[in-house]
């Protein structure tokens, strides 16, 4: 089932090990496994997205069949682009698992699962809980998450508009094919006008036949936009991970505060807040000094552990913010450059296409003038 695979050219050769194969075959699911591993291992990075597994945002004349050779080839190019994106990333490029993906023909999956990355993956419920319960969200990440939502919405609209424009473009070219047919049929019944009509018909036919190349270029432009449609979700994933890191810090700090309050209550014998334990002591009598001392010691130990945990969580959060923001800035520069180039190329393509249309009618005008 060849369309489910992509060939990976490998140029590097490792010293002192088995020779690296010239090419490898990988299933799409293996690319998904690699990306999931990178998402878990580098939560602060905007991990490059994979191309779509199934055709979306296509105009209705184009096949949306996953087995379609053109779609399979475009997906192969997209997977190659994914590898180039990872290879050019300052952190992801040096990952040993990524190198293994590129160089090991067999046993690569086992190597990934041995890392235990799946156990580190955060559940959706946990991430959702963090989103709604973080008390002091970082304004920068909140704004970046909103930007990711807006970017995805705008690119989705742009892709839909492009699909409608491509559909109309296809219709225009097909109409020129009809012109060519009519002029050729007309030329068969004319004497003096026959050559001119036939020549004009040939120009129209040639113009109509060029629609396939134009629409292929259109799809290439659409794939560039789709990459950033999926990049928007990768950007939001970094923001969600920050929310989770912030939430874990706040929960650790809240637990530490609670433990300190319990210690103070045991030391002073006063209960500030309602609790089941406080109600029990009122009903059945106070604890003995020995029991209270044992509880105080246990709380002291828990407080020490809690303080250490808060310190770790705080350091983790600070390091995450520092690393994530560096990568977000890198992503923004890359995005601005790529989308600017894509839009300029699209504008040039449209101008060129219109010039060809004008040239076709100028040529037809000359044919008509000679009749």
């Amino acid at each position: 089932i060849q369309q489910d695979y992509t060939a990976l050219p490998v140029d590097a050769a490792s010293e002192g090990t088995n020779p690296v194969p010239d090419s490898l075959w990988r299933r799409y699911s293996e690319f998904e496994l690699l990306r999931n591993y990178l998402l878990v291992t580098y939560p602060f990075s905007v991990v490059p997205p994979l191309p779509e597994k199934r055709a979306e945002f296509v105009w209705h004349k184009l096949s949306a069949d996953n087995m379609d050779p053109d779609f399979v080839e475009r997906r192969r190019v997209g997977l190659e682009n994914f590898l180039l994106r990872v290879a050019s990333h300052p952190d992801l490029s040096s990952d040993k698992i990524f190198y293994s993906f590129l160089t090991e023909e067999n046993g690569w999956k086992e190597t990934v699962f041995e890392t235990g990355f799946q156990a580190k993956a955060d559940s959706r419920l946990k991430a959702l809980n963090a989103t709604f319960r973080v008390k002091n969200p970082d304004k920068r990440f909140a704004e970046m998450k909103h930007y990711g939502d807006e970017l995805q919405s705008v690119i989705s609209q742009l892709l839909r508009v492009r699909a409608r424009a491509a559909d109309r473009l296809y219709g225009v070219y097909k109409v020129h094919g009809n012109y060519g047919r009519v002029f050729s049929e007309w030329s068969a019944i004319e004497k003096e006008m026959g050559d001119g009509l036939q020549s004009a018909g040939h120009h129209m036919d040639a113009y109509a036949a060029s629609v396939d190349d134009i629409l292929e270029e259109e799809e290439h432009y659409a794939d560039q936009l789709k990459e950033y449609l999926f990049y928007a979700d990768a950007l939001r994933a970094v923001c969600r991970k920050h929310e989770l890191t912030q939430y874990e810090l706040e929960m650790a700090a809240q637990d530490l505060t609670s433990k300190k309050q319990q210690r103070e209550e045991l030391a002073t014998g006063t209960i500030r807040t309602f609790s089941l334990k406080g109600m029990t002591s009122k009903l059945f009598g106070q604890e003995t000094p020995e029991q209270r001392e044992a509880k105080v010691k246990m709380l002291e130990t828990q407080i020490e552990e809690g303080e250490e945990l808060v310190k770790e969580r705080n350091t983790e959060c600070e390091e995450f913010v520092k690393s994530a923001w560096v990568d977000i800035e890198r992503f923004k520069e890359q995005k601005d450059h790529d989308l600017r180039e894509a839009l300029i190329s699209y504008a040039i393509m449209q101008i060129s296409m219109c010039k060809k249309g004008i040239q076709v009618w100028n040529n037809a005008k000359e044919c008509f003038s000679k009749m």
Side-chain angles (χ1 to χ4, degrees), residues 7-245:
L8 304 177
V10 180
D11 299 326
S14 52
E15 297 180 2
T17 60
N18 294 328
V20 176
D22 293 333
S23 64
L24 296 173
W25 288 97
R26 297 294 189 208
R27 294 184 68 91
Y28 187 91
S29 59
E30 292 182 83
F31 280 87
E32 289 180 312
L33 178 60
L34 172 63
R35 187 170 186 274
N36 288 336
Y37 160 79
L38 294 175
L39 282 170
V40 173
T41 310
Y42 302 91
F44 51 82
S45 295
V46 184
V47 179
L50 292 172
E52 56 189 346
K53 190 171 185 178
R54 296 174 179 80
E56 297 177 6
F57 296 102
V58 297
W59 58 291
H60 73 266
K61 297 288 191 308
L62 189 71
S63 172
D65 184 5
N66 298 337
M67 308 285 281
D68 180 73
D70 291 336
F71 172 72
V72 172
E73 174 58 20
R74 282 178 30 237
R75 190 172 66 178
R76 186 198 65 78
V77 172
L79 291 172
E80 184 177 331
N81 183 62
F82 164 76
L83 293 178
L84 292 173
R85 292 287 196 196
V86 175
S88 64
H89 193 282
D91 297 313
L92 308 181
S93 58
S94 58
D95 186 88
K96 292 181 180 179
I97 295 296
F98 175 57
Y99 181 75
S100 174
F101 179 87
L102 295 174
T103 57
E104 293 184 13
E105 189 164 5
N106 299 313
W108 175 79
K109 284 187 179 181
E110 289 74 9
T111 305
V112 181
F113 290 126
E114 284 172 4
T115 63
F117 81 95
Q118 290 173 310
K120 300 176 186 177
D122 300 311
S123 68
R124 290 185 178 182
L125 184 61
K126 193 176 180 182
L128 188 65
N129 199 30
T131 299
F132 289 105
R133 296 184 64 182
V134 170
K135 295 179 180 178
N136 300 303
D138 189 310
K139 186 178 179 181
R140 293 179 304 171
F141 282 91
E143 290 176 350
M144 190 55 60
K145 189 177 180 182
H146 178 69
Y147 171 78
D149 293 336
E150 292 295 313
L151 178 65
Q152 191 168 51
S153 175
V154 168
I155 293 181
S156 294
Q157 293 176 43
L158 190 57
L159 283 165
R160 291 188 180 94
V161 171
R162 188 213 66 87
R164 291 198 297 271
D167 193 39
R168 291 181 63 184
L169 178 67
Y170 180 83
V172 167
Y173 276 78
K174 288 306 174 185
V175 166
H176 281 75
N178 292 336
Y179 270 127
R181 178 182 56 80
V182 171
F183 286 149
S184 295
E185 291 176 355
W186 190 5
S187 69
I189 62 172
E190 297 288 349
K191 292 182 180 180
E192 290 80 4
M193 294 170 53
D195 290 342
L197 289 169
Q198 189 173 38
S199 296
H202 287 324
H203 287 301
M204 298 294 170
D205 288 337
Y207 186 63
S210 66
V211 68
D212 292 334
D213 292 337
I214 291 291
L215 290 175
E216 185 178 340
E217 197 170 346
E218 280 264 349
E219 287 306 312
H220 173 68
Y221 162 74
D223 288 339
Q224 291 177 299
L225 289 180
K226 285 176 186 176
E227 182 185 18
Y228 278 92
L229 180 73
F230 305 137
Y231 249 128
D233 190 54
L235 181 63
R236 293 201 304 269
V238 175
C239 298
R240 288 194 298 268
K241 182 63 181 178
H242 174 262
E243 287 176 338
L244 189 55
T245 305

Side-chain angles (χ1 to χ4, degrees), residues 242-258:
H242 174 262
E243 287 176 338
L244 189 55
T245 305
Q246 181 70 28
Y247 176 67
E248 289 173 345
L249 169 61
E250 290 180 0
M251 289 299 99
Q254 183 178 320
D255 185 62
L256 177 60
T257 301
S258 176

